[in-house]
Amino acid sequence: MIRRTLIAGNWKMNGLSASAVEVNAIADGAPNGVDLLICPPATLIASLANRGVPIGGQNCHSEVKGAYTGDVSADQLADVGAVAVIVGHSERRQEYEVTDAIVCSKVPAAWGAGLTAIICVGETKEQRDHGAALDVVGAQLAGSIPDGATAANSVIAYEPVWAIGTGLVPSINDITEMHAHIRAQLAGRFAEAKGMRILYGGSLKPDNAAEILAIENVDGGLIGGASLKAEDFLAIARAA
Ligand code: 13P
């Protein structure tokens, strides 16, 4: 089954109105044959949608609406032009105590709004050093993905916590092993597992992108720091 490469940028809490120039430049330089996505802060989604680059959110609530001060629903993201939403990013798992069960409850909300859910998993350094990385990620997958996941409505992002924003990346062998493990686990549950994209994230940069994106079962990247500048983001997309 063909899986189109997806190069997704997660701007985290970066970006102001002026960042529209970056999205315009990405639209102008987008290579053929690769799907692009930019996930800016929620404040920018409305103004960045419809510029030629698909736009996504970075988080959503599990409810459609209600008394949840400061939160944003998947329907609200879709309403202003988002087509996808990241759920369970490690920064939210760590900073806001978002558990697998909470992640799992957000995914149907994303689907219900017509958004692709980008479901993040990844081990800490301590867990990897203890040889527990495969088990930890396996448990996160089991707990974070609800029944009903398809190639169209879900993307998995493997982001080792210790590789995020550190300049450290796992070895090619370790990425290969983990992505094969994720594929096998998806295959045990979902009919469309072969078509589901598995992204790698964590210090993915223009200079390591070609090597990492060529790994079997790596179907694209989720990029933080290097997604903030159109030039770097496009260099990664071209390397894919
Ligand atoms: P960096 O690319 O800055 O390491 O961030 C990765 C990430 O967390 C993307 O979601």
Side-chain angles (χ1 to χ4, degrees):
M1 194 176 295
I2 304 281
R3 296 185 297 267
R4 270 178 69 90
T5 299
L6 172 61
I7 301 298
N10 172 11
W11 283 8
K12 309 189 180 184
M13 200 172 71
N14 298 290
L16 299 168
S17 313
S19 312
V21 296
E22 301 298 334
V23 172
N24 293 342
I26 291 168
D28 287 345
N32 290 327
V34 179
D35 291 340
L36 301 182
L37 177 75
I38 290 289
C39 300
T43 50
L44 295 178
I45 292 174
S47 65
L48 297 183
N50 303 313
R51 287 176 186 265
V53 182
I55 297 296
Q58 298 176 9
N59 177 44
C60 69
H61 198 277
S62 56
E63 297 294 331
V64 170
K65 60 181 175 154
Y68 303 102
T69 302
D71 243 309
V72 63
S73 74
D75 285 61
Q76 290 168 331
L77 296 174
D79 182 52
V80 289
V83 298
V85 62
I86 297 168
V87 291
H89 191 280
S90 67
E91 286 154 15
R92 298 212 60 93
R93 289 179 183 265
Q94 289 186 317
E95 298 278 326
Y96 307 96
E97 295 180 6
V98 170
T99 61
D100 290 337
I102 293 172
V103 177
C104 199
S105 72
K106 294 171 185 274
V107 176
W111 294 345
L115 304 181
T116 298
I118 301 175
I119 303 163
C120 301
V121 295
E123 83 286 356
T124 63
K125 183 80 174 75
E126 199 182 11
Q127 289 164 335
R128 177 156 289 274
D129 289 346
H130 283 85
L134 296 177
D135 286 348
V136 166
V137 168
Q140 288 175 337
L141 290 169
S144 304
I145 314 178
D147 291 339
T150 67
N153 71 19
S154 299
V155 170
I156 308 304
Y158 168 58
E159 299 203 298
V161 176
W162 52 273
I164 294 175
T166 58
L168 302 172
V169 290
S171 69
I172 298 298
N173 280 347
D174 285 345
I175 297 176
T176 305
E177 179 184 46
M178 182 61 81
H179 279 244
H181 176 68
I182 293 170
R183 179 78 60 206
Q185 180 146 343
L186 294 174
R189 263 187 85 190
F190 303 110
E192 295 189 9
K194 281 205 175 103
M196 291 168 75
R197 290 181 287 189
I198 306 172
L199 311 184
Y200 169 80
S203 297
L204 196 56
K205 309 283 181 202
D207 62 1
N208 62 18
E211 193 181 19
I212 291 173
L213 296 172
I215 298 173
E216 198 179 355
N217 288 307
V218 173
D219 306 310
L222 183 55
I223 298 130
S227 72
L228 296 173
K229 286 268 162 278
E231 196 184 331
D232 292 340
F233 185 71
L234 287 172
I236 294 171
R238 282 193 298 267

